[in-house]
Amino acid sequence: MAQAHEARARLCAAHGWDESAVELVPVVASGDRIQDRPLAEIGGKALWTRELDQWLVEGRIDGAVHSMKDVETLRPEAIAIAAILPRADKADRLLGAESIAAIPAGARIGTSAPRRAAQLLHLRPDLTVVGIRGNVATRMAKLEAGEADATFLAAAGLDRLGEDAVGVRLDPEAWMPAPAQAAIGIECRSDDARARDLLRAIDHAESHAEIAAERRLLEGLGGSCSSPIAALSRTSEGRIALSAAIFSPDGTVRIGDESEFAAGDDEAPLVLARRLLDRAPPAVTEHFGQPL
């Protein structure tokens, strides 16, 4: 809902509308209702989009607001990513310790994200990963209740909720974020020219290009919600520097590489994906689907 409020505020500012011109329609996704199991066990990232997709196609809503890291790579042809808002802080924050190195030996670290679990175990194989899911408030409460000794949350989500002082920011160059992390996307029906035109006014071209590149990387890897993938884009003067890493789930294997290319280049992220997969052993590739 915080993301929806931001989308509405930007739309109203762009078009000179009163706030009442944009109605917010709450939709509870399956991913919010089912929080006791990892996404990979219960349907993957589609759990965050299924209900909103249906409402869009049925015409009950004109646009759907998503955290782009939770949107599956391949989308229905009937739905278009019409706008990406200016990307927020891409970093993760660590709650419960001052740094990865400062986490006590043998501590239990709560996360259901394969990327965070694998990256953590690669750096600290002495730690134990325990699965926890839920929104920001839920995960902070689980940490307070002792279900884990430390956990991770996206800096962008905390900032949007006014929790900018919570946790310790991890340098994204050293602790790489998820592909498309910190980006709010707005989808609409592909054939809804009016909605696409209205949303175009709040599309941030640089952020959109980064998200397109990172999602293209996912497509090239055949990545899913169970594939440990990290990616970081930096944009300068119309060019994107994209770093990426893929892992074995237990963190024992890490394959990293990077590429620089012009924004809008759809082929370069695929080439990067192929390089990563070509160097990866079966312990990594068996957790990826059919690459492009």
Side-chain angles (χ1 to χ4, degrees):
M1 290 305 296
Q3 295 179 153
H5 279 282
E6 179 177 341
R8 176 169 67 179
R10 289 183 180 275
L11 263 176
C12 291
H15 295 290
W17 298 338
D18 185 81
E19 188 178 273
S20 61
V22 180
E23 179 186 0
L24 297 187
V25 182
V27 181
V28 180
S30 300
D32 280 323
R33 290 199 300 269
I34 307 170
Q35 297 188 1
D36 59 346
R37 285 163 285 168
L39 289 177
E41 293 182 7
I42 53 176
K45 290 184 176 181
L47 292 173
W48 298 114
T49 58
R50 180 187 302 153
E51 287 82 1
L52 286 93
D53 287 354
Q54 182 177 343
W55 284 39
L56 260 182
V57 171
E58 292 175 354
R60 299 166 70 181
I61 56 176
D62 301 302
V65 179
H66 295 291
S67 175
M68 288 306 298
K69 74 179 179 66
D70 295 328
V71 175
E72 65 268 37
T73 308
L74 300 178
R75 302 293 288 132
E77 288 187 8
I79 294 174
I81 300 171
I84 301 291
L85 303 188
R87 202 169 185 181
D89 187 355
K90 302 165 189 173
D92 274 345
R93 288 203 203 137
L94 174 64
L95 283 66
E98 290 302 309
S99 66
I100 300 294
I103 299 173
R108 298 165 303 133
I109 313 302
T111 182
S112 292
R115 184 261 316 178
R116 285 172 173 152
Q119 196 163 204
L120 177 71
L121 293 173
H122 180 73
L123 297 172
R124 291 288 307 274
D126 59 298
L127 301 176
T128 299
V129 174
V130 296
I132 61 171
R133 285 191 52 232
N135 60 24
V136 168
T138 299
R139 279 187 271 177
M140 290 174 67
K142 288 182 177 181
L143 187 63
E144 186 69 23
E147 294 187 27
D149 300 307
T151 191
F152 303 97
L153 287 168
L158 288 167
D159 290 345
R160 288 177 186 130
L161 294 173
E163 300 283 1
D164 51 293
V166 171
V168 176
R169 184 180 185 273
L170 300 176
D171 180 359
E173 297 283 350
W175 177 271
M176 294 174 66
Q181 184 157 311
I184 297 173
I186 309 173
E187 294 185 322
C188 67
R189 291 181 296 281
S190 298
D191 61 359
D192 189 341
R194 178 176 179 272
R196 295 186 75 156
D197 186 57
L198 291 171
L199 290 169
R200 191 176 297 115
I202 59 170
D203 184 45
H204 187 254
E206 181 178 297
S207 298
H208 203 142
E210 286 190 359
I211 298 310
E214 292 173 26
R215 287 174 61 80
R216 189 68 165 163
L217 172 76
L218 287 175
E219 193 175 356
L221 289 169
S224 70
C225 64
S226 61
S227 308
I229 305 170
L232 176 65
S233 293
R234 288 88 66 204
T235 300
S236 177
E237 298 181 351
R239 296 188 64 79
I240 296 173
L242 175 59
S243 300
I246 57 178
F247 300 80
S248 60
D250 63 3
T252 57
V253 181
R254 179 190 187 277
I255 307 295
D257 206 337
E258 59 186 27
S259 179
E260 183 178 324
F261 47 89
D265 184 340
D266 280 345
E267 183 61 25
L270 297 182
V271 173
L272 176 58
R274 293 186 199 111
R275 291 206 307 261
L276 290 166
L277 291 174
D278 286 347
R279 293 168 50 206
V284 174
T285 57
E286 67 184 7
H287 299 284
F288 290 75
Q290 184 64 40
L292 185 66

